[in-house]
Every structure is written in C-alpha cells, then in structure tokens.
Amino acid sequence: AIVDRNLLWDNPVAQKYGIGSLADVFPVEGGCDIKEGSAAAGFPNQYHCGVGTAVFVKVAKMRLAITTAGLARAVGVSEAALYRHFPSKAKMLEALIEFIEDSVFSLINRILEEDRFMRGRCQKIMTVALGFADRNPGISRLLSGEVLLGETERLRKRIDKFYERLETQLKQVLREGEANQELKAVSPVQAQANLMVCLVEGRIQQFVRSGFTVSPLAQWEQQWSLLATCLD
C-alpha cells in the first residue's frame, strides 16, 4: 500500500488499495524516508525531501490560486529557492500531473490483478479516481483544469490524456467483460466507458465548484448502484 492505513478515510476500496493524500505519500517531516515500492519511490530525488516534498504537499492542499509566490510563502522559502527545485511553475505542475498518473494507474493495475470480475473492476477504478481527488483538493483543481487557465497548452493536454487513459482502461475492462459474457451488448462499450469517465470528471468539477464542500464520494454507493444496472 502507498500510505499508512491509519491515515485512510473510511471507504473499503480506499482501505484495501491505500488511497490517501500526498501528505501521506510524501511525509514532510522525517527527512527523505521514502518507502520502497511506494508511489513516491520512482520520483526524481529532488521531489523526495525538503522543498520539493513540501511543495507537492502544499499544492495538494491548496484551495486558492497556485502561484510561485504563494507556494514559497506556504513552504517558508524564497521564490529563488523554489526555482532551484523547479525551473518553472509549469514544470512543477507537469511533475505533479505525472505523479497523479503514476499513482492512480498503479492502483488501477493492482485492481486488475486482484479482481477478475468486470463490475468490481469498474467500481473500484472509479472509486480510486474519485477518492484520490477527494483526499487532495489541490489535485482536484488540477484535474478540473481550473488552475491551468493561462498555463501552457501542454499542461491542459496532459490532463486530457489522463481522462483518455482512464476511459481506455475502462473500455478494455468492458470488452473483456463482454467476451466473458458478463456484459450484454445493449449499448456500445465506448459509450458506457465514456459515461463512467464523464461521471468521474463531473464529480471532480462539482467538488471544486462547491468550494470543496461536496465530496466526489458523496452518494457514490447509490450512484454506482444506478450505473451498475447498465452493466447487466
């Protein structure tokens, strides 16, 4: 698991797959102790400790505009010190997007290894995405694209790629379910996978728009029950 299970929110999927916040993955205190096999382990050394770690944790929690000046104040360093770790704000955000992708899809790979049934896979994949956003408000703002206004087109395309990759993964699960006769060919696989991704993206957008008062996981069990009827 990526995080200490004592830090997890109360959700069975989260407890099993270790969905937490960046503060759990990157402990700011205690130096550069990154557990082997954790999502942080593959990151460049400058993100493992000190300023780099603190920046990632602060971005994940930030509910206001993400600026280098604001981050420098939050972390307690000068802007010059911040730029020694990240050449630009765009590079910092790109590294964080890469971390989001690695974290979410490493958990999805675990789900695919451990759950062989289509409905269970789909539910857990969506819960992972929603749970990761729920635990990290700053990441939700990235995934909604809200903080990328005025940033480079490359960053917006990286977020598009995240959702495209999520949809591709769900399509693969549905196609395998269809081949195993778990899914009736009532509607195209592509349409069903797109609906699931639209729900994930919409819940994240609502979370940001509500000022983080409406969790992406609010009423999720009931919503999944409705969605699951389309997979019979």
Side-chain angles (χ1 to χ4, degrees), residues 64-86:
L64 301 174
I66 298 175
T67 64
T68 51
L71 277 172
R73 284 195 300 272
V75 176
V77 299
S78 66
E79 285 189 70
L82 200 59
Y83 280 118
R84 283 198 292 272
H85 289 265
F86 300 96

Side-chain angles (χ1 to χ4, degrees), residues 111-206:
I111 290 168
L112 297 178
E113 290 173 2
E114 297 176 11
D115 195 322
R116 297 300 177 184
F117 296 100
M118 179 195 68
R119 287 178 63 161
R121 284 177 163 186
C122 289
Q123 180 190 22
K124 289 170 184 174
I125 287 170
M126 294 178 73
T127 302
V128 159
L130 294 171
F132 199 75
D134 178 70
R135 291 286 288 173
N136 299 284
I139 281 177
S140 295
R141 296 179 67 218
L142 265 178
L143 291 175
S144 72
E146 188 247 4
V147 297
L148 297 179
L149 294 174
E151 298 294 339
T152 66
E153 182 68 19
R154 184 180 72 255
L155 293 176
R156 290 191 290 275
K157 287 182 178 178
R158 287 297 297 268
I159 294 298
D160 290 343
K161 179 184 172 185
F162 171 84
Y163 287 111
E164 288 169 5
R165 187 177 172 187
L166 185 63
E167 184 170 337
T168 297
Q169 188 65 79
L170 287 166
K171 281 192 287 190
Q172 181 180 334
V173 169
L174 291 171
R175 286 195 180 105
E176 290 178 7
E178 200 171 45
N180 295 331
Q181 298 184 328
E182 295 179 76
L183 177 67
K184 297 177 183 178
V186 176
S187 57
V189 161
Q190 185 171 351
Q192 295 187 57
N194 181 256
L195 176 62
M196 292 185 209
V197 172
C198 286
L199 191 150
V200 169
E201 188 171 3
R203 292 308 307 265
I204 293 172
Q205 291 277 3
Q206 183 184 45

